[in-house]
Amino acid sequence: MNLGQNAAAASPAELLELLRDGQARTRGELATETGLARSTVRQRLDALMDAGLVTGGGNDAATGGRPASRFVFNARARVVLAADVGATHATVAIADLTGEPLTVERLALDIADGPDPVLGLLVEAWRRMRASHAPTAPIAGVGIGLPGPVEHSTGKPTHPPIMPGWNGYDVPARIAADFAVPVLVDNEVNLMALGEHVRCFADEAHMIFVKVATGIGSGLISNGQLHRGDVGAAGDLGHILAPHGATYAAAAATAAAWRPWPAAPPSPRNFTTPVSTRRTTLTWWPSCRPAA
């Protein structure tokens, strides 16, 4: 990454973006990569260290003078609360700032119970998990994926077909009342598509992620951007009318019956094409995530 053209406008946030790759750098290396003066780099590093977002990453080997200090992104400075909500269950997690889960739980629920009972379960689970795994870490934000169309600008579900009582409900406001942090709500498959694209297929400009569970839906990446549609319904495959649909569905089901599911997600070393097929019982981690 080279920020030289925007050196005058570079901010601590842009310096942090550079360090988010996890590589420890010296002040001199940061000055070279950004085009900033060393004094400016020092000031902005001080601000990031005061916020806890950057920490010392050791020193260079001594070469006769004082060894240069290295600085690295502190992924544990904050935590993020996340939930993938389905029709009959939810996967809830607490993650660090790289998206690495610190703890994960699976909850049984019924989305038809309505927003207050379901969101109450999520809040209760996050409080319990945080008490055990991250009691002192500040919360940076909350991310929730819902099994239906969501108006991205407000985080409110828009006429979700399997979610009675959710239409127009202010999910971000309900969660922010408990945690007082930014809350992002989107369609669950959109978020899965973003995760796959960022973590696994970042070089692919176009991608479709399909989830088949209680319902069927997809996330659409085109020209490197997620496409939600005018009302957040882009990718809702289960609600598309198609001529001779029953005939096509029968043929597809027959073909699928002869194609075995893999026992586990493939190793990233075994990918030959940007396509992965896996069960959707638990779709928390990207498919290219190495096996534990």
Side-chain angles (χ1 to χ4, degrees), residues 66-126:
R66 181 179 178 181
S69 298
R70 289 187 168 273
F71 302 89
V72 67
F73 176 52
N74 180 15
R76 299 293 179 91
R78 310 280 193 279
V79 295
V80 176
L81 310 183
D84 171 18
V85 181
T88 59
H89 70 272
T91 303
V92 294
I94 296 179
D96 66 18
L97 293 180
T98 68
E100 185 69 19
L102 305 177
T103 179
V104 180
E105 285 190 12
R106 187 178 172 89
L107 305 176
L109 55 80
D110 185 347
I111 198 71
D113 286 342
D116 287 322
V118 171
L119 297 177
L121 286 175
L122 301 185
V123 169
E124 180 182 343
W126 281 323

Side-chain angles (χ1 to χ4, degrees), residues 1 3 6-20 30 34 36-37 39-54 71-74 78:
M1 180 178 180
L3 302 178
N6 297 317
S11 67
E14 289 169 320
L15 199 64
L16 180 64
E17 183 67 22
L18 180 63
L19 287 166
R20 284 183 60 204
L30 288 169
T34 62
L36 295 170
S39 59
T40 303
V41 169
R42 180 185 296 274
Q43 291 174 352
R44 291 173 183 174
L45 277 175
D46 287 346
L48 292 171
M49 293 185 73
D50 288 344
L53 294 169
V54 170
F71 302 89
V72 67
F73 176 52
N74 180 15
R78 310 280 193 279

Side-chain angles (χ1 to χ4, degrees), residues 176-273:
D178 281 280
F179 295 109
V181 296
V183 180
L184 170 68
V185 181
D186 205 337
N187 173 269
E188 58 169 344
V189 193
N190 283 345
L191 297 181
M192 291 176 184
L194 282 173
E196 291 281 340
H197 187 247
V198 171
R199 298 289 290 270
C200 305
F201 306 117
D203 294 333
E204 297 297 326
H206 312 294
M207 189 185 85
I208 299 176
F209 181 97
V210 179
K211 177 184 176 182
V212 180
T214 303
I216 178 171
S218 69
L220 309 177
I221 303 291
S222 179
N223 293 319
Q225 301 293 320
L226 175 68
H227 287 258
R228 296 182 172 88
D230 287 342
V231 293
D236 275 2
L237 296 178
H239 308 290
I240 295 175
L241 296 177
H244 313 295
T247 302
Y248 297 148
T254 302
W258 289 100
R259 180 175 181 177
W261 287 90
S267 164
R269 293 185 294 274
N270 295 332
F271 274 120
T272 56
T273 59

